[in-house]
């Protein structure tokens, strides 16, 4: 059976014995359907049980297995080895995020910022007696932002995140956009102070790394630009009483 070499960046920053990063190579049996995640399973089960990585759904909908594979942000479960080309698969954790061990990044800061923007429907009106209906036109506004799976690739790739630790980041701001364009949501005034500031939309410099990094081919920059425009409208309404 043909084989594939997996070159994996290993590090346990909390270990006194092995604190520095290194690259380990493993030979994995190759079949045309082999994904990077399946290759990691083989290594963990057959070759080195100490290898650490995250996974959950195995179907590209949870974002848990986001990694830096062959120089690009990818989901390991979605990445077929045959599409990478060559005989070596290089796997590393997402860059510039705190490392727990091997391919596992610390996502606490990422999810704290996500929670901060109140990513749920906010209703101030009395509870309706039936479901709140949306027209096809209203629902279509959600098509792009609702597909974010919170993998963190855009967050890891964003230079504004690298330079400002308090910046909310593209994923959290895309989720703001998702709820602000939702016709059922009434949380505009409640969320506005959380993202209309220097740690929110004004920290985005439209570099668009997030668009290139997103494995779901979403456009966080588009959502952030929409929010910037709405922030201007909010100022105009406050100053002039009109949009």
């Amino acid at each position: 059976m043909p084989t594939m070499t997996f070159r994996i960046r290993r590090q346990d920053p909390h270990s006194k014995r092995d604190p520095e990063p290194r690259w380990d190579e493993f030979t994995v049996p190759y079949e045309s359907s082999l994904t990077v995640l399946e290759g990691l399973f083989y290594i963990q089960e057959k070759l080195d049980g100490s290898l650490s990585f995250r996974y959950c759904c195995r179907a590209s909908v949870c974002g848990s297995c986001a990694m830096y594979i062959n120089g690009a942000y990818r989901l390991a479960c979605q990445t077929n080895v045959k599409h990478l080309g060559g005989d070596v698969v290089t796997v590393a954790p997402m860059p510039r995020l705190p490392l727990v061990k091997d391919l596992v990044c610390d996502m606490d800061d990422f999810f704290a910022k996500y929670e901060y923007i109140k990513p749920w429907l906010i209703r101030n009106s009395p509870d309706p007696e039936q479901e709140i209906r949306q027209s096809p036109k209203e629902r279509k506004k959600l098509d792009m932002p609702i597909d974010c799976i919170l993998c963190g690739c855009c967050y890891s790739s964003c230079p504004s995140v690298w330079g400002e630790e308090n910046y909310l980041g593209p994923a959290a701001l895309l989720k703001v956009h998702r709820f602000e364009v939702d016709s059922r949501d009434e949380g505009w005034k409640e969320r506005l102070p959380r993202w209309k500031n220097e740690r929110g939309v004004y920290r985005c410099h439209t570099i668009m790394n997030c668009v290139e990094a997103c494995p779901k081919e979403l456009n966080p920059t588009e959502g952030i630009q929409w929010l910037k425009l709405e922030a201007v409208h909010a100022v105009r309404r406050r100053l002039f009483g009109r949009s």
Side-chain angles (χ1 to χ4, degrees), residues 72-223:
Y73 291 92
R74 308 176 196 266
L75 301 178
C77 68
Q78 186 184 49
T79 305
N80 192 302
V81 169
K82 73 177 180 180
H83 295 152
L84 295 175
D87 298 325
V88 178
V89 179
T90 301
V91 188
M94 289 188 288
R96 298 179 180 86
L97 294 181
L99 185 67
V100 177
K101 185 175 183 288
D102 293 340
L103 304 176
V104 180
C105 296
D106 186 341
M107 303 293 286
D108 287 350
D109 187 61
F110 173 83
F111 281 108
K113 292 172 180 177
Y114 168 67
E115 185 177 357
Y116 176 78
I117 58 96
K118 298 192 173 185
W120 53 80
L121 282 175
I122 298 175
R123 296 285 299 175
N124 299 315
S125 302
D127 292 340
E129 295 182 0
Q130 61 182 20
E131 71 274 11
I132 305 170
R133 296 184 178 181
Q134 283 185 311
S135 68
K137 184 177 180 180
E138 289 170 334
R139 176 57 181 79
K140 189 167 181 59
K141 294 179 181 180
L142 304 179
D143 283 355
M144 187 270 287
I146 205 170
D147 283 341
C148 173
I149 59 175
L150 298 173
C151 63
C153 289
C154 63
Y155 186 79
S156 169
S157 74
C158 177
S160 294
V161 172
W162 309 342
E164 173 52 69
E165 64 180 2
N166 291 322
Y167 174 45
L168 291 175
L173 291 172
L174 181 62
K175 286 296 182 180
V176 173
H177 174 247
R178 174 257 179 272
F179 286 100
E180 298 302 350
V181 298
D182 194 323
S183 60
R184 302 165 296 177
D185 188 83
E186 298 175 342
W188 168 262
K189 291 183 179 179
E190 195 169 337
R191 288 195 194 92
L192 184 64
R194 294 173 178 255
W195 58 263
K196 182 181 170 290
N197 51 57
E198 285 298 323
R199 67 171 297 199
V201 292
Y202 299 133
R203 182 59 60 181
C204 173
H205 299 304
T206 324
I207 298 170
M208 300 186 71
N209 279 17
C210 55
V211 180
E212 182 178 351
C214 180
K216 304 300 285 187
E217 300 183 350
L218 307 183
N219 193 333
T221 300
E222 178 183 304

Side-chain angles (χ1 to χ4, degrees), residues 16-35:
K16 294 182 180 179
R17 185 180 62 181
D18 188 25
E20 298 300 320
R22 69 178 191 275
W23 292 91
D24 286 354
E25 293 190 357
F26 303 92
T27 300
V28 176
Y30 171 75
E31 296 180 357
S32 61
S33 62
L34 180 71
T35 66

